[in-house]
Amino acid sequence: HLFAIARDITERKKLEAAVLESEKKIRSFILQAPVAMCLYRGPQYIIEIVNDELLAIWDKSFDSVINKPVFDALPEAKDQGFEDLLHKVYTTGEKYAAFGIPITLPRNGKAETIYVNLVYQAYHETDGSISGIVEVVSDVTEQVVATQQTEASEQRFGAAVEAVQGILWTNNANGEMEGEQKGWAALTGQSYEEYQGYGWATAVHPDDAQPTIEAWNEAVKELKTFVFEHRLKTKSGEWELFSIKAIPLLNKDGSLREWIGVHTNITEQKDAEEKIKSSESQFRTFADSIQNLAWIADAEGWTYWYNQRWYDYTGTTLEEMKGWGWEKVHHPDHIKNVIEFIKEAWKKDAAFELTFPLRRNDGEYRWFLTRGYPVKDANGNIERWIGTNTDIHEQKIINEKKDEFISIASHEMKTPLTTAKGYVELLLLSLKEENQTALYATKANQAIDRLNLLITELLDASKIQNGQLNYTITKFDFNKLMDETIENIQYSAKKHSIEKVGNCLKQVSGDRDRLQQVLINLLNNAIKYSPNANKVVVKIEEQDGSMQVSVQDFGVGMSRQHIDKIFDKYYRVQEHAIHFQGLGIGLYISNNIVERHEGKMWAESEPGKGSTVYFNLPL
């Protein structure tokens, strides 16, 4: 009887020792596994074992999580549905696996969403009972993000990169595959006998088999991490490309115990990369063939690509131009304003335009018009900027000469025009209203007023061009200004009724005369371009921190292609030029005045239904 008891004790100790050894092996496996793993114990899911790979994903230290319930250590995971998943696995023993799922974790001091392949596997005791859960995680954020970027890049890339699932396997200290390898068998379709030892190599493509064995033998000999790529014949009979990473696991004395490796299918990823490269190559070929200089910058404005035209014109290299290197080819008299404008433009999410001189490879400066366009992802976030620089040097010189001529001519005409108006007004004082000569003199006086207005606009345009248009800023009642302006315009607009809707009760800070000039221009345009209508509607409304004014007519309107250009100097809608007089500078001046008041002006229009011009001002 005592012998039986002793035997039972001995057997129990052997069993306990075996269990301890098993536990030790599991702990070592988890801690040294090349994938993120941990072991949760009990219904509270106490973190008993966790390796560095998973701690890195969590962005947590070992001491901050070990021996704690997982949802105490990671409270943010509780509201993302993981508690229900763990409960189901723990109570039913059913394995849970998901691929490419998003997880939001606090990392680097802020909430960050990553994508993972996730497996929950019930951990069974020797009696079959469930005492915990093993978690295996693979961070596939790069693959998922690559897929999202591919799908969002204006269909330039014809394939998507999908997150892949890794196949785990083990080899003995000699680098031979031994024992049951379910993952490998499921992947290749090889039988137990076929993949033992180096039999696994028969599943490798004949052209890749020997290079794989040689590289593997070298890694085994030097006990270094094995990283490789090769083609495998999968169970379906197809050759697919895999990346391999295997890590040697050492005993406490430094001797090699075994290898743990993972095969990851990268076939689709490589195909997508090749298609991206092909598409990028086509894009670069196209970009290099256009006459404009072209560039691409990231969301923060760091320029990382130029087309060949840029290098040909500037005589520079990519290394010289990366980031903000383009400053080197800008004129020193203009670079400060360019940098200030560009830095503000990066903060907005709208296209922008700017003109400046660029140095040619021979040292000469020529004027360019740059246009920048934001490229956004599916969520509306800016991914990068694409821009072009168009040579406008000859046009710029012509416009400067034209502006110089107009400025000189306007100044020269101002004095005789003032004299003529004085004499006409003296003549009107000496004539009676019923006199026919008085009628002629009145019409002459009206013509002089129109000519005087035209010269004033020309002078204003010249001052704007040279940055000399002066402003006197005061606080004033905009509503009163609007009433006065409407009353004055209504006096001469016999055919149209000007209707005012809304009020602005807050004081406006700005140049009263210049803003009245804007209102007069918009009202006169509305009347002029609606000859067959009988009303113009003016609306004023206060918004969040600003005031919006709109002037609506019911006239000829214009097509969409003209709307963005009507604020350019000297621009006139071609189909209206014959029927309506003007130089096309009124809206240019008005827009400049509004912008100087930190406001914005825009228009909406439809042919045959009229136009509405808006502007807003900060309050």
Side-chain angles (χ1 to χ4, degrees), residues 340-410:
E340 289 177 355
F341 179 90
I342 292 296
K343 284 184 176 179
E344 288 300 315
W346 294 140
K347 298 176 184 178
K348 303 174 183 177
D349 61 353
F352 64 84
E353 291 186 0
L354 184 63
T355 58
F356 45 68
L358 284 177
R359 188 184 68 222
R360 197 165 58 186
N361 54 36
D362 60 0
E364 179 185 346
Y365 285 92
R366 293 181 65 82
W367 280 91
F368 280 80
L369 167 66
T370 187
R371 291 188 173 96
Y373 303 91
V375 179
K376 302 178 182 180
D377 61 21
N379 298 318
N381 300 313
I382 295 177
E383 290 185 330
R384 60 187 177 275
W385 292 82
I386 294 179
T388 59
N389 297 76
T390 305
D391 191 325
I392 58 168
H393 192 75
E394 281 73 21
Q395 178 185 346
K396 179 79 172 177
I397 299 302
I398 291 172
N399 286 341
E400 287 178 351
K401 290 180 178 179
K402 182 166 61 175
D403 289 337
E404 182 181 2
F405 169 77
I406 289 174
S407 178
I408 295 172
S410 299

Side-chain angles (χ1 to χ4, degrees), residues 170-310:
T170 61
N171 273 14
N172 62 24
N174 296 322
E176 300 169 338
M177 189 173 284
E178 67 177 9
E180 188 175 15
Q181 305 284 341
K182 292 182 178 180
W184 183 264
L187 174 65
T188 63
Q190 286 185 308
S191 67
Y192 178 91
E193 292 76 16
E194 288 174 329
Y195 60 68
Q196 295 298 303
Y198 276 77
W200 54 264
T202 60
V204 180
H205 193 281
D207 294 340
D208 300 341
Q210 190 58 37
T212 301
I213 292 174
E214 291 175 359
W216 176 239
N217 286 336
E218 181 182 351
V220 172
K221 180 180 179 181
E222 298 181 8
L223 296 184
K224 66 180 182 180
T225 300
F226 178 69
V227 178
F228 205 73
E229 290 183 6
H230 63 202
R231 289 163 290 178
L232 280 180
K233 179 178 284 188
T234 63
K235 190 174 183 179
S236 64
E238 299 291 330
W239 291 104
E240 298 191 43
L241 183 63
F242 286 80
S243 68
I244 315 131
K245 184 176 183 180
I247 297 176
L249 301 184
L250 307 179
N251 296 309
K252 288 184 178 181
D253 60 3
S255 62
L256 179 63
R257 185 172 70 253
E258 62 181 334
W259 291 81
I260 294 182
V262 60
H263 265 64
T264 303
N265 192 326
I266 59 172
T267 305
E268 293 185 3
Q269 178 183 335
K270 286 290 185 179
D271 288 345
E273 288 175 358
E274 289 302 318
K275 290 178 181 178
I276 289 173
K277 289 179 182 178
S278 175
S279 184
E280 286 287 351
S281 176
Q282 293 176 15
F283 168 76
R284 290 173 189 272
T285 301
F286 167 75
D288 287 338
S289 69
I290 63 175
Q291 294 299 315
N292 296 1
L293 316 184
W295 48 267
I296 302 177
D298 64 20
E300 284 71 42
W302 181 270
T303 308
Y304 59 86
W305 178 86
Y306 297 88
N307 70 344
Q308 190 59 43
R309 295 285 180 181
W310 174 276

Side-chain angles (χ1 to χ4, degrees), residues 298-339:
D298 64 20
E300 284 71 42
W302 181 270
T303 308
Y304 59 86
W305 178 86
Y306 297 88
N307 70 344
Q308 190 59 43
R309 295 285 180 181
W310 174 276
Y311 301 124
D312 293 342
Y313 176 82
T314 62
T316 60
T317 64
L318 177 59
E319 289 304 314
E320 294 177 278
M321 293 291 100
K322 272 185 178 179
W324 291 78
W326 48 264
E327 297 178 24
K328 301 174 186 176
V329 295
H330 277 257
H331 197 287
D333 295 343
H334 297 267
I335 186 61
K336 181 179 179 181
N337 291 334
V338 171
I339 291 175

